[in-house]
Amino acid sequence: MDELGFNKIAGAILATALGVMVLRTAPHIFIHSEMPSTPAYRVGPLEVASKDDAEPLPFPQLVWVDAMDSTRGLKVFKKCTSCHNADIDGANGTGPNLWNVVGSTAGVKDGFKYSNALVTSGKTWTYEELDGFLAKPTKYVSGTNMNFVGLKKETDRAAVIELLRLASASPLSKPTPQLVENESTPEAEVTPQSLNLETKEKDHGGEVH
Ligand code: HEC
């Protein structure tokens, strides 16, 4: 390659580089840009409603009440029988006898040595308290002696609680399912009555007689 040819190529490269430089700076010359003091939008952690944020639904829900099945409860109760029985006048074991426990005060079975934690919890074994306790005993009553992982499934809890409910000379009635108001429920319908039109009509359009 002769010297002229080399210069041509070098020149072309230089021109291209220069062109690129100009193009890169040019917009900044023509367009004045400064960061606004308040950004138009902010990038931050997105607020995503998580399961933990959700308000717990009122207790009990229909699924829970529907799952109150003593036959199934008897099966679930097999997880408890190493420590408990629910027989009338049944003996205490590692855990207290559970006859008549639904609706009773926590930690009152005669002859059983409860933990301080349970006795001082001041709990009454309502359906809701039992459900919470059986879900995770050691978390629900911290310091309890009931060394049991808990029943993860609410339907298992409802079933075994039904069994306990029936382990009584006078079982309490089943709880009423709590219906949650649906936010998308349409507003009350507008009727002539709700607008007081009927009254006005009776009053002959509001005229005083
Ligand atoms: C490893 C033994 C063990 C197992 C398994 C166990 N429990 Fe218990 N449970 C205990 C002990 C011990 C206590 C007393 C806790 C305390 O004093 O803190 C207790 C207490 C209770 C109480 C409160 C009784 C009262 O008089 O206040 C209920 C209700 C109960 N258990 C139900 C169950 C059910 C239902 C199951 C099975 C799903 C179960 N437990 C499984 C040992 C056990």
Side-chain angles (χ1 to χ4, degrees):
M1 194 190 286
D2 62 2
E3 206 180 312
L4 196 65
F6 176 79
N7 280 347
K8 267 185 188 163
I9 292 166
I13 292 170
L14 206 73
T16 310
L18 215 82
V20 169
M21 272 167 65
V22 168
L23 285 176
R24 285 180 55 172
T25 17
H28 300 280
I29 298 164
F30 299 120
I31 305 164
H32 179 74
S33 88
E34 240 173 53
M35 279 291 277
S37 51
T38 23
Y41 59 87
R42 264 195 307 173
V43 181
L46 284 176
E47 290 237 1
V48 179
S50 79
K51 231 173 134 196
D52 296 341
D53 291 345
E55 282 269 311
L57 295 172
F59 183 91
Q61 288 294 296
L62 190 60
V63 274
W64 200 95
V65 179
D66 277 352
M68 294 184 82
D69 169 356
S70 59
T71 310
R72 177 136 172 258
L74 205 55
K75 284 188 192 148
V76 179
F77 196 64
K78 287 187 181 149
K79 296 189 176 182
C80 324
T81 49
S82 56
C83 302
H84 294 285
N85 67 69
D87 307 335
I88 185 164
D89 296 328
N92 295 321
T94 308
N97 164 257
L98 294 175
W99 176 262
N100 228 353
V101 76
V102 176
S104 83
T105 307
V108 295
K109 208 32 80 146
D110 274 346
F112 186 81
K113 192 149 178 20
Y114 290 93
S115 67
N116 240 348
L118 191 68
V119 174
T120 59
S121 71
K123 288 196 181 306
T124 296
W125 292 126
T126 60
Y127 295 113
E128 188 167 9
E129 294 278 17
L130 277 171
D131 181 73
F133 182 61
L134 293 180
K136 219 163 205 228
T138 49
K139 195 175 170 204
Y140 201 72
V141 177
S142 124
T144 180
N145 288 341
M146 176 154 143
N147 286 318
F148 175 69
V149 280
L151 299 171
K152 236 184 184 166
K153 282 199 205 154
E154 68 169 339
T155 47
D156 282 351
R157 302 194 296 269
V160 84
I161 290 167
E162 171 65 356
L163 185 81
L164 295 178
R165 180 182 81 89
L166 297 174
S168 165
S170 48
L172 296 183
S173 47
K174 283 190 181 185
T176 319
Q178 299 297 300
L179 300 175
V180 188
E181 265 182 57
N182 190 342
E183 273 171 34
S184 64
T185 306
E187 291 284 304
E189 229 180 290
V190 178
T191 61
Q193 285 85 349
S194 72
L195 290 175
N196 257 342
L197 293 180
E198 204 177 47
T199 344
K200 276 192 186 147
E201 234 166 54
K202 269 187 207 145
D203 290 341
H204 301 278
E207 280 175 56
V208 185
H209 292 278

